[in-house]
Amino acid sequence: MFTQKIKPFLYLGVFYLILSLIVRVVFFFHPITTANFSFLEILKVLSVGLVNDIFVFILASSILALYFLLLSNSKYNKPYGYIIFGVLLLLFLYILAVPNNIFKQYGGSVTRIALIFVGLKTLLFGLMLFLPSKRIKIRNVLYFITLSLYVLLIVFNAVSEYFFYNEFGVRYNFIAVDYLIYTNEVIGNIMESYPVLPLFSAILIVTLAITIFIYKKTKNELLELPNFKQKLTLLGTFVVLVGISLLILPMMMKMKSPNVFADEIESNGLPKFYWAFTHNELDYFQFYSQIDEKQAQKNFLNQYSPPALARNVVADQPEMKKNVVLISIESLSADFMEHYGNTQKIMPFLDSLADKSLMFTNLYATGNRTVRGLEALTLCIPPTAGESIIKRDNNKNKFTTGSVFKSKGYDVKFLYGGYSYFDNMQDFYAGNGYDIVDRNNFKPEEISFANVWGVADEDMAKKAIKIMNAEAKSGKPFFNHWMTVSNHRPFTYPEGRIDIPGDAKSREGGVKYTDYSLKMFFEMAKKQDWYKNTVFVIIADHCASSAGDTELPMDKYRIPAMVFSEGFVQPQKFNKLMSQIDVMPTVLGLLNFNYRSKFLGQDVFKKEFQSKAYIATYQDLGFVKDNYLTIISPVKKVKQYSLQQKSGNLAPEFNIYYDEIILKDPNQKLVNDAISAYQSTSFWLKHNQLNR
């Protein structure tokens, strides 16, 4: 009986192991595999690979095991069947009819997906409940669909691993994770690069043929479902096997040999994909162009005075212990402001504040995610390949903006209206000496409105004032970094604040409400004793969109930034090209701070400042200098674009929009400058040289 019930697993498992073996053999003979293998090495690779595949299949078959364990006829008996059907029907009606149900808080297609899933579940359960004579046929159809999905995933994964190896010479890594994030671009690339119709036709034909074969061999197992005792036996066996797999697979991933190709061929792509997803790293030194390490560091450090990683910053004026409030605004493109040509008047307050501030008119975000912006403002270093340092394991005890303020006796806090465990912010900021104020610190009466991302920005503004008043009473200066949340899908906010309804879910509404909340914050701040002794830094974390005609469209990385302090910072426009990582070193310079720095950003008012910017995705690393954009990418690819300014009707300091013209013969000095910056940063991070 036990053997009969695991027949579907045996057939699927054998198919998976055979296909994985074929893929390994193909990798051995692939032109990209330049290593030589002895017979014993081949035997070892295939044996280790087989063990890897067995344990991976055990884990991957979890859903199938759950599917079989939940098969039952008793759940359709009275009254349980009617109770379950009623609950499913009520849940479906709740999603369909309730305007502000829990799924709609997530925005996007979540509600539609939930409605389809629950609707199908309700329909199928109802059919099997009210048509018991058709139950076997319906169950067989569902079983066939389940099998076909498993077979399709096995075949599709094998094909994907081949093409990934064909391009990068490795199994899945963070680039594969990146491909999931940039779905549109990846699909477009596939459509243009491969014979999609024949390829997918072949995948579907193989999937259908294998599914029909396994279905015919195993469908009779559904005629007599296992009883409770048999299910317990199956469950116990599976739990033990899963436990062994979870123990052994990580150990096998750590096994390394001198032959890199042997490691890649014997491994399994799925655990490597999971590792890449959870560790968020892409090894610069394996995938990107390099020059001599000492020369790279010399090139990069030449911009500093003295030219060293750890260097003393000495001011020629007395230090000023002014409070500093850094406000990083969610998804705020420069194009939302009237200064940059917007005619919708959706940021009237910020536009007016800009005229009273030191405004950086030609500044670029380092990335297209919040964690990249927070990284740039907190660590002041160029972006690196893979995910932001905030989301990595080794993210603590770094040299940060907060650590400089803390060394000067400041209270240092990170303020966030949501739950700061999101995007690993709590782990990062707490691990670097910041106190954290987030949604957990709000009393119910302090929240007028909240969505999935957190409390409304106006509620955070009120909370921030309370926090700052308490800090001011302590007699210590304070540095508070407030990250806003309201300008984020689903763009919901309290009614009656602005002339766009709070449930319109429009980007313009999110922007205008954020502007409204900032105005409220400053109106409250002006009434406080600490206001005139405070420097306010307002900057976007990244733009609203980074999609464009090239890998890194310059215009999509341009963000607004300003420093405001009545009677201290004189209003002016700083028009030179600069990076997000330069903002906080510049603010520290305005305060005449003396400190030992490891920041890789620069004070833009120092004579040694070199005008440049860093812009990046998870894998394309861009360096902007002298009207050129140099991009280094995995597999040691290098591209360079000439940036040709477009004509426009804006003032010259704001009319900085570019056409990117690809160059056949890149400027090698700028290529080396780009490599030097990213290679050196990656090296220092890898060897913990950017720690405090």
Side-chain angles (χ1 to χ4, degrees):
M1 177 65 184
F2 181 79
T3 306
Q4 291 296 314
K5 294 304 175 189
I6 64 171
K7 278 178 67 176
F9 296 93
L10 293 175
Y11 277 100
L12 276 173
V14 169
F15 170 63
Y16 177 67
L17 296 178
I18 291 173
L19 195 56
S20 296
L21 174 62
I22 293 171
V23 170
R24 282 197 177 85
V25 172
V26 170
F27 287 170
F28 271 122
F29 293 99
H30 196 287
I32 207 170
T33 307
T34 56
N36 295 316
F37 296 89
S38 67
F39 175 76
L40 288 177
E41 285 176 325
I42 293 174
L43 194 62
K44 182 253 183 185
V45 168
L46 294 179
S47 300
V48 173
L50 176 64
V51 175
N52 267 317
D53 293 340
I54 290 172
F55 287 127
V56 168
F57 179 76
I58 290 171
L59 293 177
S61 60
S62 302
I63 296 175
L64 185 62
L66 184 64
Y67 170 80
F68 278 109
L69 288 170
L70 292 177
L71 288 178
S72 170
N73 287 321
S74 60
K75 64 184 176 185
Y76 300 106
N77 295 338
K78 295 180 181 180
Y80 308 113
Y82 294 97
I83 294 172
I84 295 171
F85 180 72
V87 170
L88 288 171
L89 188 59
L90 286 173
L91 179 58
F92 177 77
L93 293 173
Y94 165 75
I95 300 171
L96 180 66
V98 177
N100 294 313
N101 67 69
I102 189 171
F103 299 102
K104 288 187 178 179
Q105 293 296 316
Y106 289 88
S109 302
V110 175
T111 303
R112 193 178 300 111
I113 293 170
L115 192 66
I116 292 171
F117 176 80
V118 176
L120 284 174
K121 183 67 179 174
T122 305
L123 175 64
L124 292 170
F125 191 90
L127 289 173
M128 297 181 80
L129 175 65
F130 297 112
L131 300 173
S133 61
K134 304 293 184 182
R135 197 172 293 165
I136 294 294
K137 288 185 178 180
I138 296 171
R139 189 173 283 150
N140 282 342
V141 171
L142 294 176
Y143 175 56
F144 184 88
I145 293 171
T146 303
L147 275 180
S148 64
L149 289 174
Y150 256 95
V151 175
L152 177 62
L153 287 173
I154 290 171
V155 176
F156 188 80
N157 177 67
V159 174
S160 299
E161 285 212 67
Y162 168 76
F163 282 115
F164 196 84
Y165 190 88
N166 186 63
E167 185 170 357
F168 299 105
V170 295
R171 299 273 189 170
Y172 296 141
N173 56 23
F174 193 82
I175 299 173
V177 179
D178 193 29
Y179 280 2
L180 282 184
I181 296 166
Y182 293 101
T183 310
N184 292 337
E185 291 84 348
V186 173
I187 291 175
N189 180 56
I190 291 171
M191 296 291 288
E192 293 176 5
S193 305
Y194 301 107
V196 173
L197 188 60
L199 180 63
F200 278 86
S201 297
I203 290 173
L204 291 175
I205 290 170
V206 171
T207 297
L208 189 61
I210 298 297
T211 301
I212 291 172
F213 175 79
I214 297 177
Y215 174 75
K216 287 182 176 179
K217 293 290 185 180
T218 60
K219 67 176 182 177
N220 290 336
E221 309 313 316
L222 299 182
L223 296 175
E224 184 181 348
L225 300 179
N227 57 37
F228 183 72
K229 183 178 179 181
Q230 291 166 338
K231 285 185 178 182
L232 281 180
T233 303
L234 289 169
L235 178 62
T237 304
F238 188 76
V239 167
V240 171
L241 290 174
V242 166
I244 295 172
S245 301
L246 291 173
L247 182 67
I248 298 297
L249 274 175
M251 295 170 57
M252 297 190 71
M253 285 187 67
K254 293 178 181 178
M255 294 169 54
K256 299 293 181 183
S257 70
N259 189 333
V260 176
F261 285 105
D263 288 340
E264 293 297 333
I265 295 172
E266 73 185 17
S267 65
N268 187 289
L270 295 177
K272 286 176 68 69
F273 182 90
Y274 175 79
W275 189 92
F277 188 82
T278 54
H279 286 73
N280 306 304
E281 295 179 35
L282 183 60
D283 188 354
Y284 179 93
F285 299 96
Q286 184 177 0
F287 293 103
Y288 291 82
S289 297
Q290 299 173 57
I291 60 176
D292 176 75
E293 184 60 47
K294 289 184 179 179
Q295 186 61 48
Q297 293 186 27
K298 182 179 178 182
N299 291 347
F300 185 67
L301 293 173
N302 186 54
Q303 64 189 296
Y304 306 112
S305 180
L309 175 59
R311 57 202 179 276
N312 291 323
V313 176
V314 180
D316 55 7
Q317 297 290 329
E319 288 189 350
M320 289 176 279
K321 297 289 184 69
K322 289 182 175 290
N323 308 308
V324 177
V325 178
L326 168 60
I327 306 174
S328 50
I329 304 175
E330 174 68 49
S331 306
L332 189 70
S333 300
D335 291 343
F336 292 143
M337 293 184 65
E338 189 173 4
H339 281 80
Y340 296 91
N342 191 288
T343 59
Q344 298 170 295
K345 298 188 182 298
I346 52 177
M347 299 214 82
F349 172 72
L350 206 60
D351 270 309
S352 66
L353 189 68
D355 291 328
K356 306 170 188 174
S357 305
L358 161 60
M359 188 179 188
F360 303 112
T361 66
N362 195 11
L363 185 147
Y364 294 83
T366 59
N368 48 22
R369 286 286 317 281
T370 294
V371 284
R372 275 294 186 212
L374 295 178
E375 173 190 88
L377 295 168
T378 305
L379 300 177
C380 306
I381 64 172
T384 50
E387 183 58 275
S388 163
I389 294 161
I390 290 174
K391 298 185 73 172
R392 298 184 190 178
D393 292 335
N394 184 22
N395 66 359
K396 299 174 181 64
N397 300 312
K398 302 297 182 189
F399 184 81
T400 66
T401 305
S403 66
V404 175
F405 281 108
K406 207 153 195 176
S407 71
K408 302 294 181 181
Y410 279 63
D411 273 332
V412 175
K413 287 184 174 65
F414 177 67
L415 313 178
Y416 182 64
Y419 294 109
S420 58
Y421 64 77
F422 178 73
D423 263 350
N424 211 41
M425 289 184 283
Q426 180 176 344
D427 182 63
F428 172 74
Y429 280 106
N432 284 288
Y434 286 68
D435 294 326
I436 294 175
V437 178
D438 67 2
R439 187 167 177 173
N440 289 308
N441 299 99
F442 279 76
K443 299 174 182 177
E445 61 270 21
E446 293 179 310
I447 303 174
S448 66
F449 182 90
N451 61 20
V452 66
W453 293 111
V455 303
D457 283 348
E458 66 179 84
D459 294 333
M460 187 69 249
K462 295 173 185 175
K463 186 74 169 180
I465 294 295
K466 290 181 181 179
I467 295 293
M468 294 170 198
N469 285 342
E471 289 172 320
K473 288 179 181 178
S474 72
K476 296 173 65 177
F478 56 79
F479 168 63
N480 290 331
H481 183 168
W482 168 22
M483 177 68 217
T484 73
V485 301
S486 292
N487 185 29
H488 196 298
R489 193 175 300 280
F491 307 116
T492 54
Y493 43 84
E495 290 288 351
R497 274 40 171 196
I498 59 174
D499 56 5
I500 301 175
D503 59 357
K505 298 184 178 179
S506 70
R507 166 70 74 177
E508 291 74 19
V511 172
K512 195 165 188 176
Y513 174 72
T514 296
D515 187 74
Y516 165 87
S517 300
L518 290 174
K519 181 181 180 182
M520 174 186 287
F521 171 75
F522 275 90
E523 286 175 348
M524 290 187 291
K526 281 183 180 180
K527 299 174 183 177
Q528 313 308 320
D529 293 337
W530 46 262
Y531 172 75
K532 289 187 177 179
N533 192 42
T534 301
V535 176
F536 299 92
V537 185
I538 303 99
I539 184 171
D541 61 346
H542 59 88
C543 283
S545 170
S546 60
D549 296 331
T550 62
E551 302 96 320
L552 297 172
M554 277 282 291
D555 300 342
K556 298 293 186 177
Y557 284 79
R558 193 177 182 203
I559 56 173
M562 62 196 76
V563 180
F564 171 79
S565 183
E566 282 189 25
F568 174 57
V569 176
Q570 296 303 309
Q572 63 172 300
K573 303 289 190 295
F574 183 86
N575 304 327
K576 290 183 180 179
L577 172 71
M578 61 182 289
S579 172
Q580 200 174 21
I581 72 173
D582 298 323
V583 172
M584 292 312 295
T586 301
V587 172
L588 296 175
L590 292 173
L591 295 171
N592 297 322
F593 272 17
N594 300 303
Y595 62 103
R596 188 164 178 79
S597 176
K598 288 187 178 180
F599 291 142
L600 303 182
Q602 290 184 282
D603 179 346
V604 300
F605 293 113
K606 296 291 187 183
K607 62 181 180 180
E608 62 266 20
F609 171 67
Q610 293 184 13
S611 191
K612 63 194 172 304
Y614 305 95
I615 59 176
T617 63
Y618 293 91
Q619 54 176 306
D620 293 318
L621 307 176
F623 178 77
V624 185
K625 189 177 181 182
D626 298 338
N627 289 320
Y628 289 93
L629 166 61
T630 306
I631 301 175
I632 56 176
S633 304
V635 204
K636 300 177 172 43
K637 292 180 182 177
V638 176
K639 281 186 180 181
Q640 195 172 81
Y641 294 88
S642 171
L643 300 175
Q644 299 186 6
Q645 191 168 340
K646 302 175 186 178
S647 60
N649 299 321
L650 300 177
E653 63 267 29
F654 295 106
N655 186 51
I656 311 171
Y657 296 92
Y658 297 101
D659 286 320
E660 298 179 13
I661 311 300
I662 187 74
L663 299 177
K664 292 183 179 179
D665 299 310
N667 180 317
Q668 193 57 46
K669 182 184 182 303
L670 291 175
V671 170
N672 287 343
D673 285 347
I675 293 171
S676 296
Y678 288 112
Q679 180 179 330
S680 299
T681 304
S682 300
F683 180 87
W684 292 325
L685 281 170
K686 186 175 183 179
H687 294 87
N688 295 319
Q689 290 180 281
L690 294 177
N691 287 14
R692 292 201 293 269

